[in-house]
Amino acid sequence: MLKAIGSDLDISVPSDCEYYDYVKDLLESDVVQSMKQYHHHGSTSLFQHSVNVSYYNFLLCKKWGLDARAGARGALLHDLFLYDWHDHVKAPGCQFHGWTHPYTALKNAHKYFDITPVEEDIIVKHMFPLTPFPPKYRESFCITLTDKFCGAWEVLDHWAYKAGT
């Protein structure tokens, strides 16, 4: 069973979930599955964070009448940088992860998948305004909201869990 943070919906049931139909091939790929080995925010893995952002980006795009498929797929790949950023930022000579990882994720997305121009823009612009170029598509603007929302929720969830133990 696959759920996004705060959601009770089983998003891995194809007959019941349009979202899963859009991202099934990505979710089943070895490279996306490898994201489970990296921690991201608090106790949330990079994989789970990407699912969270992807699912809520899909919902927001759908609600606003945008390309929900591109919104879901681009968001699932938005952090496809494939390293533990906690260690990466400590390595000598490494630039600030927040500025550089969208480009690494885009390079990896091109390496492993065929992506559309909208998905490309979603991946590379998801950190706006930290990164200098604004989103070109409305689907890309959505991810600037959903990524920050999910990241904050994941960190707060981690702190709440730690406070309760």
Side-chain angles (χ1 to χ4, degrees):
M1 185 180 307
L2 186 62
K3 295 181 181 181
I5 191 169
S7 172
D8 291 330
L9 178 65
D10 181 353
I11 58 178
S12 63
V13 181
S15 62
D16 294 339
C17 190
E18 178 184 6
Y19 167 78
Y20 187 75
D21 290 339
Y22 289 156
V23 298
K24 180 182 181 200
D25 62 315
L26 302 178
L27 286 171
E28 292 177 352
S29 72
D30 290 339
V31 69
V32 170
Q33 287 294 312
S34 77
M35 295 167 69
K36 291 178 178 178
Q37 68 183 310
Y38 304 110
H39 283 92
H40 198 45
H41 299 130
S43 58
T44 304
S45 71
L46 185 57
F47 173 82
Q48 187 61 55
H49 168 73
S50 297
V51 169
N52 295 341
V53 174
S54 175
Y55 180 66
Y56 289 109
N57 208 54
F58 160 78
L59 291 179
L60 193 57
C61 287
K62 190 170 174 145
K63 180 172 179 61
W64 288 349
L66 306 177
D67 184 346
R69 182 181 189 276
R73 293 177 68 82
L76 189 59
L77 302 174
H78 83 282
D79 276 344
L80 191 67
F81 47 81
L82 305 176
Y83 56 81
D84 185 337
W85 69 267
H86 303 88
D87 297 332
H88 179 77
V89 296
K90 298 174 190 169
C94 288
Q95 295 181 338
F96 183 57
H97 168 79
W99 290 324
T100 60
H101 81 270
Y103 304 101
T104 304
L106 180 61
K107 179 181 166 187
N108 287 333
H110 277 297
K111 180 178 177 180
Y112 296 105
F113 306 103
D114 292 325
I115 60 173
T116 68
V118 176
E119 294 164 357
E120 181 176 305
D121 198 63
I122 288 168
I123 294 165
V124 81
K125 307 284 179 66
H126 79 271
M127 290 298 290
F128 183 78
L130 186 60
T131 51
F133 302 104
K136 182 176 180 180
Y137 303 99
R138 291 179 293 171
E139 293 82 356
S140 309
F141 177 73
C142 289
I143 197 173
T144 67
L145 303 174
T146 57
D147 184 43
K148 287 150 189 70
F149 170 77
C150 290
W153 194 345
E154 292 157 4
V155 169
L156 291 173
D157 185 59
H158 177 72
W159 286 347
Y161 175 77
K162 285 186 85 165
T165 57

